[in-house]
Amino acid sequence: MTELQVQQTTAHWPNVQEMPFWLEKAIAWGQTDTPHTWKDISLHLKRLRDFLQQLLTEISSVSSTTETLNRLPLLGQLLGRLCWNPHVTAEGASRGLLLQCLLALYSEHPSNAVEGKANQWIQKVLCHLATDEEDGAAVALMKHLAVPTKEYHLNVLKKMVTRIQESIGNSQCSVSSTNKGCSCGSVWAASEACVPLITCPEASPLIGALLQQQMTCIREGLSENFLGALHSAYSRCDLLLDEQAVVSLWYQSLPSLEEAVLNLLASATAAGSTPSKVEEQVSKSLLPKACAQHCSVFLVVNDIFRTVLKQTERNERVKNVFQTFTKCFFMELSRLQPQPSASLKAFFPQSPPSLLIPLFTMPSEMPQESLKNHLMWVSSSLQRLTEEEEDEEDSDSGNIRGNHKVFEAWFLLVQCAYWVQVAVQLLVTSGPEDCGPLLWLLTFYHHPTNRWHHRASQLVQAKAAWDHLYSLFSTVALLAPKPQQPSLAPSLTLNLLVNFATFGQLPQSTSAEITQKVVHQSGLQDEAARVLSSLRLRLNDRGSFANDRVHLRIEELHNTIKKPM
Amino acid sequence: MEAVLKNVGRTVELLAVAAHSGVVNEWDEQTVTRAFHWARYCEHIYSRFHGNPVIRGVLEKQLQLTNHSLKEALPEYNAVSFLDLGRCQDLLLLWLLNNSALPVSIMKMLFETKASADSTSSNYEDVRGLCSQIIQCKSACTVLRPLLGVPTVGADAEVQGEMLMERLGSALSQSSDPLRAEDFLSSVLQEFEVAAEHLCPVIAAALLTTTDSAAQTASQDFLLDWLQSRRGTLQHVCTALPSKVLADLAKRHQKFRDAFCKLLKRWASEMEYRVTEGEWVHAATSSAVSFQKMTEHYLALFEACPSLRTEIEDELNARRIADGDFDVRGLSVWGDILLALRK
């Protein structure tokens, strides 16, 4: 039978099959108290919880305890033994389920001797668990000093956490002492023992200390169960750790790190997130800090970004997150190191090294005049890179390595996109002669791949758009005297202007505003009015009264021209 | 004061009901919360007045009366003492849980467990989930205990020592009569004649706590004097504790150092050489310290207080010489100690 089929046939009573297994486990766990026992317990804890949940469902579905005990004769033994196991009772979820199972067996109105005895036993167990009545000399003193049970045990717990933290802090492991057996074994044992205590608030300083313990030993590390349990608790947002402990967790547990990065991406690209919100989310997430402290963490994060980017080239929101992240990361790095640029190669091993420092210099750190040259240099470097790679491709058609270098350069540009923003700004004040490299940069940012050699046509389109906008927003200079010889008669341009304003597609008010600005700037109001009048006359002659719209426009224009500015 | 007496009396009656009456069956969450509230009230009264002999007397009288009338009504009733008032909530919980008439709903409420880490113990007033939190604390302690390695005195003894010091401090400050504090210490010891061994680490921990104030130093001093005045207890302490702890105590307190050295010398002088075993043995009791243990004590002492080494060795040597200045084993205990120390 396949696993699915087995599950289905025993769907009603999975417990009858598993009960002897768990009872055996419980007995074994009660017999020894070594780190290996602890490891076995934490290994089985999740399955045990699932089993207890199933038990609880069944006990609750059966109305009489007598019947439950008939169906599951080993139940009492199992629950009893589990109650005496502190590793099971220390953990919140398993303790909860265990107690609920016990209480579900309690009969409100016992109908026979069996149920009566069961009630007595349950009350006895609960009493023993929650009070110190049977605890002898250890707690007798506290009674004599009139210290409440809860306060006493809480203080002992806190004291233990402090002492263990101290002893962990003191344990060193030098590589040379591998023969003698290092104390890292005790760190492993401690991490194994602490698995049930991960969500216990008083134990969180200890958990943090374990995570941040420098693991220099080759043989021992933190227990796998410990890291796995931390990851699950982290996913449920159930963990109480301070900042440094979280950073250590990410450093040691890859799944936790991946989850953190994906969560950040999801929330930062959600609908309604503004750039300032994104920045807040990114810096609050502690990820930039973690990346600055551990190069390996940054490499993983960058890898995830790289993969995401390959799938969503055009997604501007995602690109914005990367840019913000890099900015925050660099800020954190600068806090840690006086010369962050020195270590950039380690953080970006795959990027073209010549581009690293230029792109990571913040625009604010350069004088305004040098910005343009800087960008020219960046643009030409990138151009050269793309041309090289295309040449390689052409000459070596069997080479499927692909646009690796170009992609890495583009990825770097995306992360340092503040430079692209500067380029766009500079394009407004550039003239047609020097806008070329800047336009190339902009085009490259939005279209990194040159599939089917489309770049040339894209560049042409970009230039055309720039031309349009340039003209549109500098119309005022239309009639300014130009030094060119032979100069064009102003009335030629003026005639064109008036006709465009009258018959053009722009709305009336916009046409009027543009016309007014140009005419008044050049001081040719009278000439303009004359042209307009002769146009009106010509239209009247043709008897096109019917076109009121044009008529209105001419009137409006006339008024505008006549109006003093 | 009358109101206080009435309230205390009523609460004790409440405890009796919780313990023995079927009425508990009708209790709901509100009733239970109120009951614990009154128990907390009694704990508060205790902590305020336990050092005031006059008010304490009045309260004890009230308790006597209440106990008497309750005993007549409920033959199975256990009297509540003044001391019990100090841990009234524990008593209430214990008696409730032992009452077979307690409804399941109340039990479920007391043992409710929130699986998330949200359930901090910050809300001291909450009765809901109280038992689950206690279990968590106790289990966590049991889980962590083996990780402490070789303890000096152990976390339990440390906490108990701190609390002992706290109570001792308040006993000393609340009355100018040192007899009260003495009575207090003696009563503590008396209760644990059987468990004197358990008490030794506690006393050691109490003496080793760091003192931040003159009052705390005074308390420790008082405890030391008390310890020295009771030969039996001092001897017990020095027999039961490991060498390292005793050395730490000697390092910390001059008085203890002197007393300890004196004790070691006395032990040594009481030793006899058994030819059949080839060992020095303490003549008095078989359970007393062994030669090896004594040597360990000396070595630990030297490590903690290096300045003592020459002084003690000189003294031992002087006694060896007085014994006849022999270099052979088995003739002078002092010589043999010196030999063992020099190895």
Side-chain angles (χ1 to χ4, degrees):
Chain A
M1 272 196 276
T2 63
E3 192 169 293
L4 185 61
Q5 284 174 308
V6 169
Q7 276 183 347
Q8 283 171 339
T9 50
T10 56
H12 294 293
W13 295 108
N15 315 293
V16 179
Q17 311 274 343
E18 286 192 41
M19 188 72 91
F21 167 74
W22 287 114
L23 183 57
E24 211 181 290
K25 275 285 173 206
I27 295 175
W29 291 341
Q31 282 174 339
T32 53
D33 193 25
T34 65
H36 289 280
T37 322
W38 310 335
K39 182 173 171 185
D40 196 44
I41 298 176
S42 36
L43 210 58
H44 287 89
L45 212 49
K46 177 154 193 323
R47 269 178 67 193
L48 178 62
R49 278 200 293 269
D50 293 337
F51 179 64
L52 286 173
Q53 180 64 66
Q54 288 170 11
L55 275 179
L56 182 61
T57 322
E58 277 166 40
I59 298 173
S60 314
S61 67
V62 176
S63 52
S64 106
T65 307
T66 321
E67 213 196 305
T68 314
L69 291 175
N70 279 338
R71 290 200 209 179
L72 304 165
L74 299 173
L75 184 61
Q77 271 195 64
L78 176 66
L79 292 179
R81 282 180 189 277
L82 288 176
C83 281
W84 298 146
N85 190 321
H87 292 262
V88 174
T89 50
E91 206 269 316
S94 38
R95 175 175 72 250
L97 286 166
L98 195 53
L99 290 171
Q100 283 179 68
C101 283
L102 275 178
L103 288 167
L105 282 174
Y106 193 90
S107 327
E108 195 82 51
H109 305 286
S111 53
N112 53 38
V114 169
E115 290 186 357
K117 278 204 103 174
N119 279 8
Q120 268 184 353
W121 176 77
I122 291 172
Q123 267 193 300
K124 206 176 92 179
V125 168
L126 292 176
C127 193
H128 194 137
L129 281 174
T131 67
D132 285 327
E133 265 324 280
E134 315 201 6
D135 245 339
V139 203
L141 178 62
M142 286 299 102
K143 285 194 211 167
H144 195 85
L145 297 177
V147 179
T149 304
K150 191 167 163 195
E151 189 187 320
Y152 170 63
H153 286 289
L154 203 58
N155 281 329
V156 173
L157 180 56
K158 288 185 186 157
K159 174 83 51 186
M160 282 185 174
V161 166
T162 315
R163 290 282 172 255
I164 298 177
Q165 261 186 284
E166 282 168 7
S167 78
I168 287 178
N170 289 336
S171 69
Q172 298 288 333
C173 173
S174 59
V175 184
S176 59
S177 72
T178 42
N179 288 334
K180 293 190 224 145
C182 51
S183 56
C184 289
S186 65
V187 175
W188 172 79
S191 70
E192 199 70 71
C194 285
V195 171
L197 298 178
I198 279 172
T199 52
C200 173
E202 285 80 27
S204 83
L206 178 56
I207 307 286
L210 280 172
L211 273 173
Q212 294 170 66
Q213 180 64 10
Q214 292 297 328
M215 298 312 282
T216 50
C217 182
I218 335 164
R219 286 182 309 176
E220 308 276 7
L222 288 175
S223 124
E224 285 302 317
N225 293 331
F226 181 67
L227 290 172
L230 277 171
H231 171 60
S232 315
Y234 179 76
S235 309
R236 295 191 307 264
C237 298
D238 215 3
L239 217 49
L240 296 155
L241 290 177
D242 63 18
E243 280 190 7
Q244 270 312 109
V246 174
V247 170
S248 303
L249 173 63
W250 288 335
Y251 179 55
Q252 309 213 38
S253 163
L254 190 59
S256 304
L257 176 60
E258 286 175 352
E259 184 162 332
V261 177
L262 294 172
N263 281 345
L264 176 64
L265 278 176
S267 63
T269 54
S273 54
T274 61
S276 54
K277 257 199 226 164
V278 169
E279 178 146 351
E280 200 190 309
Q281 281 171 322
V282 167
S283 44
K284 248 178 40 184
S285 78
L286 296 179
L287 277 168
K289 212 179 246 178
C291 288
Q293 286 181 21
H294 301 281
C295 188
S296 52
V297 170
F298 179 76
L299 290 175
V300 170
V301 173
N302 221 25
D303 229 7
I304 297 177
F305 285 173
R306 186 179 283 115
T307 318
V308 169
L309 192 60
K310 279 189 183 155
Q311 295 166 357
T312 59
E313 262 178 33
R314 300 288 195 94
N315 190 331
E316 285 307 311
R317 275 219 192 106
V318 164
K319 281 156 136 181
N320 182 41
V321 175
F322 294 165
Q323 182 200 340
T324 315
F325 190 90
T326 312
K327 193 173 96 183
C328 294
F329 157 69
F330 195 66
M331 254 167 42
E332 291 292 337
L333 193 63
S334 314
R335 275 201 205 118
L336 283 183
Q337 302 175 9
Q339 288 266 11
S341 27
S343 54
L344 279 176
K345 249 200 225 163
F347 286 92
F348 295 92
Q350 292 170 304
S351 312
S354 56
L355 282 170
L356 279 176
I357 294 184
L359 282 177
F360 267 100
T361 315
M362 296 292 148
S364 50
E365 287 171 23
M366 298 185 76
Q368 287 273 41
E369 318 82 62
S370 347
L371 287 176
K372 189 180 263 183
N373 284 334
H374 187 93
L375 276 168
M376 299 293 207
W377 183 88
V378 169
S379 173
S380 59
S381 292
L382 285 169
Q383 252 179 293
R384 225 178 312 126
L385 202 72
T386 51
E387 282 161 15
E388 269 171 23
E389 198 144 295
E390 277 167 34
D391 285 341
E392 271 177 26
E393 269 184 8
D394 289 338
S395 62
D396 187 2
S397 48
N399 184 2
I400 357 170
R401 254 193 311 114
N403 305 333
H404 174 70
K405 269 208 214 121
V406 174
F407 175 80
E408 286 302 322
W410 178 67
F411 185 30
L412 193 62
L413 186 65
V414 166
Q415 290 175 300
C416 302
Y418 36 81
W419 279 114
V420 177
Q421 291 169 339
V422 171
V424 177
Q425 188 181 339
L426 286 177
L427 273 170
V428 175
T429 48
S430 310
E433 329 74 47
D434 52 352
C435 69
L438 296 174
L439 275 175
W440 189 95
L441 189 66
L442 198 59
T443 317
F444 175 66
Y445 175 75
H446 289 281
H447 300 275
T449 56
N450 197 6
R451 292 191 200 99
W452 310 294
H453 298 278
H454 278 174
R455 183 161 294 129
S457 126
Q458 285 163 343
L459 280 170
V460 167
Q461 291 177 62
K463 181 76 173 33
W466 182 85
D467 282 331
H468 263 119
L469 286 165
Y470 186 73
S471 319
L472 192 65
F473 282 87
S474 51
T475 328
V476 184
L478 191 62
L479 284 166
K482 290 199 182 67
Q484 259 174 310
Q485 290 294 340
S487 55
L488 197 66
S491 38
L492 189 155
T493 324
L494 199 60
N495 234 302
L496 273 172
L497 172 66
V498 170
N499 276 274
F500 261 111
T502 310
F503 299 106
Q505 296 301 323
L506 286 181
Q508 199 156 323
S509 52
T510 320
S511 304
E513 200 178 321
I514 294 176
T515 314
Q516 185 188 44
K517 276 215 171 77
V518 175
V519 167
H520 282 266
Q521 182 83 306
S522 59
L524 297 168
Q525 291 98 312
D526 290 337
E527 180 73 21
R530 197 188 55 76
V531 171
L532 203 57
S533 299
S534 58
L535 178 63
R536 186 169 38 194
L537 217 57
R538 185 173 67 78
L539 288 177
N540 283 347
D541 280 344
R542 281 170 51 196
S544 35
F545 289 126
N547 204 335
D548 280 331
R549 182 180 158 276
V550 175
H551 205 85
L552 274 167
R553 279 181 93 104
I554 296 181
E555 284 303 322
E556 170 83 37
L557 279 170
H558 206 95
N559 294 336
T560 316
I561 295 173
K562 280 297 182 193
K563 226 195 301 185
M565 265 199 85
Chain B
M1 194 61 219
E2 243 194 67
V4 171
L5 290 176
K6 226 165 76 168
N7 287 332
V8 170
R10 287 258 172 80
T11 314
V12 175
E13 286 167 12
L14 183 68
L15 284 178
V17 165
H20 302 293
S21 165
V23 165
V24 162
N25 202 286
E26 329 239 319
W27 283 17
D28 60 5
E29 184 175 344
Q30 242 191 355
T31 327
V32 172
T33 311
R34 257 206 314 267
F36 273 94
H37 170 85
W38 282 113
R40 244 194 318 277
Y41 169 84
C42 284
E43 287 182 7
H44 181 69
I45 297 292
Y46 173 85
S47 65
R48 266 199 74 192
F49 295 122
H50 75 273
N52 184 327
V54 173
I55 303 203
R56 180 176 174 148
V58 170
L59 282 165
E60 280 174 333
K61 202 135 193 281
Q62 172 67 49
L63 279 174
Q64 234 180 357
L65 286 168
T66 318
N67 281 331
H68 188 80
S69 59
L70 280 171
K71 189 77 184 176
E72 287 191 347
L74 297 162
E76 65 269 27
Y77 173 69
N78 288 324
V80 172
S81 73
F82 182 71
L83 265 182
D84 287 332
L85 285 183
R87 35 180 293 275
C88 212
Q89 287 188 90
D90 289 346
L91 225 50
L92 175 61
L93 182 64
L94 175 67
W95 284 351
L96 270 179
L97 289 178
N98 272 318
N99 190 335
S100 52
L102 187 67
V104 182
S105 53
I106 300 295
M107 283 195 264
K108 286 190 175 160
M109 175 201 72
L110 287 169
F111 284 90
E112 184 182 274
T113 309
K114 284 178 260 183
S116 80
D118 224 6
S119 55
T120 46
S121 48
S122 56
N123 197 345
Y124 226 52
E125 311 277 303
D126 236 348
V127 159
R128 186 162 268 276
L130 169 71
C131 293
S132 181
Q133 286 177 11
I134 294 177
I135 300 177
Q136 181 184 49
C137 263
K138 287 172 71 175
S139 308
C141 287
T142 316
V143 165
L144 289 178
R145 204 165 274 122
L147 297 179
L148 284 165
V150 175
T152 44
V153 284
D156 298 81
E158 268 195 72
V159 172
Q160 293 175 30
E162 281 169 12
M163 292 182 160
L164 179 64
M165 281 282 94
E166 209 187 293
R167 292 291 191 272
L168 181 58
S170 70
L172 281 172
S173 66
Q174 275 177 353
S175 75
S176 47
D177 182 9
L179 265 168
R180 280 217 69 86
E182 264 206 43
D183 282 342
F184 164 70
L185 279 176
S186 303
S187 67
V188 165
L189 177 61
Q190 229 169 4
E191 289 266 343
F192 304 100
E193 273 293 288
V194 188
E197 244 151 57
H198 167 75
L199 208 61
C200 295
V202 178
I203 294 180
L207 288 171
L208 287 172
T209 49
T210 43
T211 46
D212 295 321
S213 68
Q216 287 173 321
T217 322
S219 304
Q220 279 190 340
D221 241 5
F222 187 86
L223 184 59
L224 268 169
D225 289 335
W226 177 88
L227 192 63
Q228 280 188 281
S229 66
R230 279 159 177 69
R231 277 261 287 268
T233 319
L234 179 65
Q235 177 146 289
H236 223 123
V237 167
C238 294
T239 321
L241 292 173
S243 314
K244 174 99 191 4
V245 178
L246 293 168
D248 283 335
L249 280 169
K251 185 171 175 185
R252 186 78 188 274
H253 301 279
Q254 182 70 43
K255 281 188 203 169
F256 186 86
R257 188 196 301 191
D258 296 337
F260 186 42
C261 288
K262 242 166 92 178
L263 183 62
L264 282 173
K265 273 183 273 207
R266 210 192 77 210
W267 276 341
S269 62
E270 287 168 3
M271 290 210 170
E272 280 177 359
Y273 191 69
R274 295 272 162 85
V275 187
T276 40
E277 292 149 52
E279 262 307 339
W280 286 91
V281 167
H282 198 249
T285 36
S286 53
S287 63
V289 69
S290 72
F291 185 81
Q292 188 182 1
K293 201 81 229 271
M294 206 172 55
T295 326
E296 276 171 29
H297 284 332
Y298 270 119
L299 286 169
L301 197 58
F302 292 163
E303 214 181 325
C305 317
S307 56
L308 268 183
R309 190 170 195 132
T310 14
E311 193 187 311
I312 291 194
E313 281 187 346
D314 285 343
E315 220 189 299
L316 291 173
N317 206 24
R319 293 205 179 195
R320 181 186 68 86
I321 293 173
D323 261 0
D325 204 356
F326 295 112
D327 275 330
V328 185
R329 272 206 80 212
L331 292 174
S332 165
V333 69
W334 313 107
D336 284 356
I337 296 176
L338 273 170
L339 273 173
L341 292 179
R342 295 222 175 103
K343 270 205 213 119

